[in-house]
Amino acid sequence: MRRRAGHRSFLAMDTAISVHGLRRSFGDVEAVAGVDLEVGHGEIFAFLGPNGAGKTTTIEILEGFGERDAGGVSVLGVDPAQATSDWRQRVGIVMQESPGEQELTVRECMELYAGLYKGPRPVDDTLELVGLGPEAAEKMTGTLSGGQRRRLDVALALIGDPELIFLDEPTTGFDPAARRDAWKMLDGLRDLGKTIFLTTHYMEEAERLADRIAVIAGGRIIDEGTPATIGHRDIAASEILFSLPPGVDDWELPDDLLALMQPERRDGRIELHSAAPLADLTRLGSWADGRGIEVGELEVRRPTLEDVYLRLTAEAAGAPAEEVA
């Protein structure tokens, strides 16, 4: 995964968010069952989990809008349950849905929100950062496209120049091009040194943006790491997929490759699970060359972040990962 120039390791950062033993129940349902996590200043932290996992409850507590039954929480050095208006000036929030002020232009809306802060960012600079130019600034907010509305939501969260930004599903409903434009915008926030607490159902988005990822299921953090290491993804076996020409049977493969072969075919192709894909590809190529044949539809793939996420959440639910679609 591509890392940004000048990116600091989490261990070198001060802590922006610290949570220990967080618990919250609703009746007999324990929505959050002892969550521990830490987020460093200046990093993008992705918080992933299925619906009902305790994700929203946890975030609401971090934002100061939800109560907790037990546990310690510090956000920018303050307990959100005791947060003052000064603390709220340091935090920006982009909710999943935001109706906005339909009867104001984009610029008027930004100026209205800027008036709520002691040291707001310049309106034009903030709009430019999120990709809303002069023409968009004069539009009524009620006439904006979904993507433009989402950009305005981020701009409104940024106008107070916060240190920490909570982004809840920031690109839901975006087409692929708009989503990639939004990623560039979020890279710009990283360059400003902002700390971002991100939730998303798009695994590609988490992999592209996040410095670290935590997965929550059943009210507990079930794994945490970088996009490359979470779920032991960095050492997980790769898959080698290929087909053989007519008249050549898979049992003719070398014994060491037969030992790696999965019993079921994928799209009609043979599948090998390999911990050393380069060496196994070399053996496959040497065998095919010695037989004077070509293997077709050759593909090598390592587990995607989505593969890892589905496996982790399936295991947490007590179901085999292959049963999760």
Side-chain angles (χ1 to χ4, degrees), residues 7-15 38-41 43 212:
H7 170 69
R8 299 171 294 164
S9 70
F10 170 66
L11 293 177
M13 299 181 189
D14 296 327
T15 301
E38 291 192 340
V39 179
H41 281 292
E43 75 170 339
R212 289 188 305 119

Side-chain angles (χ1 to χ4, degrees), residues 75-86:
V75 178
L76 299 180
V78 175
D79 183 340
Q82 310 297 325
T84 64
S85 59
D86 286 341

Side-chain angles (χ1 to χ4, degrees), residues 21-34 52-54 57 69-70 218-220:
L22 181 63
R23 293 183 177 274
R24 176 61 169 149
S25 295
F26 298 93
D28 295 332
V29 178
E30 192 172 29
V32 182
T57 301
D69 299 325
R220 294 177 172 84

Side-chain angles (χ1 to χ4, degrees), residues 144-181:
L144 297 178
S145 68
Q148 289 175 321
R149 175 68 236 190
R150 207 64 181 136
R151 289 173 183 273
L152 177 57
D153 290 339
V154 176
L156 293 173
L158 285 174
I159 192 63
D161 200 21
E163 300 170 40
L164 168 65
I165 305 165
F166 289 95
L167 287 178
D168 189 9
E169 305 286 345
T171 63
T172 296
F174 282 26
D175 62 45
R179 183 168 294 117
R180 281 162 176 75
D181 286 343

